[in-house]
Amino acid sequence: MGKKKDAATGSDPTTDVDTSMDTVEAQKARKKKEKSQKKQRAGTTTSPEKTSSGKKKSGKKKSDEKKPGKTTSDALEAEKAERKAVEKAERKAAKAERKRLKKLVEAARSVPGAPDTVEEALAEVGASEVAPGAVVDVADLVSTSFVDALRVGEGFRLTDVDPSSTPGFSGTREEAETLMAAAEPEIADLQERLYADSRAGGGASVLLVVQGLDTAGKGGIMRHVVGLLDPQGTTIHAFKQPTPEERRRPFLWRIRRQLPAPGMVGVFDRSHYEDVLVARVDDLVPASTWRRRYGQIRTFENSVVRGGTTIVKVMLHIGNEEQRARLAERLERADKHWKYNPGDIDTRRKWDAYGEAYQEALVKTSTDEAPWFVVPADRKWYARLAVQQLLLDALRRVDPQWPRATFDVEEEKARLADS
């Protein structure tokens, strides 16, 4: 006998429970199918269709269109990655070249009758042993000593110095880096002699003072010039805003405490000159106070020199547009944001005032005992070479000697042989 069907639904009464209640799996499958069908219907607009005017309308969905912000961000990230890769490759190649040249120069200076200076050692190495484009005849590139080319003398005007120039040097960036690499062995030798001499009672030391506006390249000097010195014989101090205790003292009090001990190469990242630069421009002290400080600085530095310290004062001179470009780079690159200080813009607004402050400080405190050297800083590679050569010149003038043995050398040789 056949089973009756429900008139309203057309279903079999005996299977009402099974057909009216789907399993969980069936419900999920149906929802998935419905969702897929909706996507398909929406996707039909992706193919060109004619509008009522007969024109084809784009089948691109808004979600498929590239967002300008995202595109710019992706491009910047790609550019950043490419730049880092290039810089890494350049650093690696430069490091390898420096090592190679150091070995050549060390070899040239290790034989009897060896040349005294790096220039002579480079010339002795010969063109056949130096990579194409490297410096061989330094005399052709260094037209005059960096000391003579950069020293602040009578009639000096800061506005006459082109911050993109390379006084005393006519070579390329690659040649400058080669010369720097070749100078490293001599600097290392002189620094070690200076340190050794102090252990025998010698009182000589060297102080490198580095001044300059923000982004002028002080950090690069610390890494690429000072960073190559032996840490054992080097002290570095970065002078920040005075602490409450320092404000209660004479302005030179904190400077005296950081002077290099005998045998050391001391480095000041900013210095007592902030007290006649920032203090003047920002009206931190009365004009009568900062004017009086010029004479106090001269007296102080003369006493330091008489005590056995050779002072090298360097002002890194950066141009207005170059500083703008470097600040812009810090804002564009996420890995440079930590270097950016909103206060740098406030300082830029006082550009002329700082120029006047530097002009007067340079002229009034550049003495025979402690001269100033103004280094054009728009080309970082030149600034680093110039500062290195000024430091090398200072060490040469100190001319430290190996201390004599305080024991009988031959007797100690005999004792060693019998031990």
Side-chain angles (χ1 to χ4, degrees):
M1 186 173 171
K3 296 180 180 177
K4 295 181 180 179
K5 292 184 178 181
D6 185 279
T9 63
S11 61
D12 189 333
T14 61
T15 59
D16 279 348
V17 175
D18 295 334
T19 57
S20 63
M21 296 181 63
D22 294 336
T23 62
V24 175
E25 289 78 5
Q27 291 178 13
K28 287 183 177 180
R30 186 172 63 253
K31 288 180 179 180
K32 186 174 181 181
K33 183 177 180 181
E34 291 173 353
K35 187 175 181 181
S36 176
Q37 290 174 341
K38 287 181 180 180
K39 285 185 177 180
Q40 289 179 358
R41 287 194 296 271
T44 56
T45 59
T46 58
S47 58
E49 293 180 357
K50 291 185 178 180
T51 62
S52 57
S53 62
K55 296 182 180 179
K56 293 183 178 180
K57 62 181 181 180
S58 172
K60 290 184 178 180
K61 296 187 295 183
K62 290 183 179 181
S63 59
D64 292 335
E65 296 177 355
K66 293 184 178 180
K67 297 179 180 179
K70 185 176 181 182
T71 302
T72 303
S73 176
D74 290 345
L76 288 174
E77 288 299 320
E79 181 182 350
K80 174 183 171 182
E82 182 179 356
R83 181 167 54 244
K84 282 189 173 182
V86 171
E87 290 175 351
K88 184 177 180 180
E90 289 178 346
R91 287 195 300 269
K92 186 176 180 180
K95 185 177 180 181
E97 179 65 7
R98 285 198 299 270
K99 286 183 177 180
R100 191 182 69 81
L101 281 170
K102 283 174 69 175
K103 290 180 179 179
L104 289 174
V105 174
E106 286 171 351
R109 301 185 70 225
S110 64
V111 298
D116 294 327
T117 67
V118 63
E119 289 89 345
E120 294 170 351
L122 267 174
E124 188 166 306
V125 166
S128 61
E129 296 187 66
V130 181
V135 178
V136 177
D137 191 352
V138 179
D140 289 343
L141 299 174
V142 183
S143 58
T144 183
S145 72
F146 286 91
V147 171
D148 294 336
L150 303 172
R151 181 169 177 165
V152 172
E154 186 177 353
F156 172 84
R157 290 185 60 82
L158 184 60
T159 53
D160 292 339
V161 180
D162 181 357
S164 65
S165 62
T166 60
F169 187 74
S170 59
T172 64
R173 173 176 180 166
E174 291 71 21
E175 290 167 331
E177 291 172 349
T178 299
L179 182 55
M180 285 188 69
E184 289 177 26
E186 185 179 356
I187 291 178
D189 178 62
L190 289 168
Q191 186 190 13
E192 187 176 6
R193 291 187 194 185
L194 181 69
Y195 186 81
D197 183 52
S198 70
R199 294 302 175 264
S205 62
V206 175
L207 173 62
L208 173 63
V209 177
V210 183
Q211 284 286 152
L213 293 175
D214 300 306
T215 77
K218 296 184 293 296
I221 297 298
M222 298 304 148
R223 288 191 300 276
H224 297 278
V225 178
V226 179
L228 297 176
L229 296 174
D230 186 342
Q232 181 179 225
T234 309
T235 60
I236 304 175
H237 190 81
F239 287 94
K240 306 297 183 182
Q241 290 185 359
T243 64
E245 179 186 8
E246 290 169 343
R247 289 193 185 94
R248 292 193 295 269
R249 308 269 189 172
F251 79 101
L252 290 170
W253 177 79
R254 64 173 183 162
I255 307 299
R256 294 181 188 276
R257 291 162 56 87
Q258 301 299 333
L259 289 173
M264 303 296 288
V265 175
V267 183
F268 285 175
D269 181 351
R270 299 188 187 274
S271 64
H272 43 298
Y273 284 94
E274 296 295 289
D275 293 289
V276 291
L277 295 170
V278 177
R280 169 180 173 166
V281 175
D282 291 345
D283 293 323
L284 301 181
V285 296
S288 59
T289 298
W290 56 257
R291 287 197 179 100
R292 185 169 59 249
R293 288 175 176 173
Y294 296 131
Q296 294 173 319
I297 288 174
R298 289 195 299 268
T299 301
F300 164 68
E301 291 179 346
N302 288 345
S303 69
V304 171
V305 172
R306 288 197 301 271
T309 300
T310 298
I311 301 178
V312 182
K313 299 186 296 188
V314 174
M315 185 260 186
L316 298 176
H317 181 43
I318 187 172
N320 186 288
E321 289 307 310
E322 178 64 19
Q323 188 196 55
R324 185 196 305 276
R326 293 183 187 181
L327 288 173
E329 182 183 28
R330 290 182 179 182
L331 289 171
E332 289 293 335
R333 294 175 55 178
D335 61 330
K336 297 285 188 180
H337 287 173
W338 67 275
K339 285 187 173 184
Y340 183 80
N341 180 355
D344 294 343
I345 305 301
D346 300 325
T347 300
R348 274 183 61 79
R349 298 183 189 281
K350 305 171 185 175
W351 188 270
D352 291 340
Y354 269 103
E356 293 172 2
Y358 264 108
Q359 168 67 29
E360 189 165 4
L362 292 169
V363 170
K364 289 191 173 181
T365 61
S366 186
T367 63
D368 291 338
E369 295 79 10
W372 269 107
F373 300 96
V374 174
V375 176
D378 279 10
R379 302 175 193 267
K380 295 179 181 179
W381 57 266
Y382 170 79
R384 293 164 187 172
L385 170 65
V387 175
Q388 186 210 46
Q389 295 298 306
L390 291 172
L391 180 60
L392 174 57
D393 174 79
L395 287 167
R396 285 174 176 171
R397 284 187 284 116
V398 174
D399 192 24
Q401 301 299 309
W402 295 113
R404 292 184 176 181
T406 57
F407 48 83
D408 188 318
V409 177
E410 295 305 320
E411 181 182 340
E412 291 305 306
K413 287 181 180 179
R415 293 180 65 233
L416 177 61
D418 292 340
S419 64

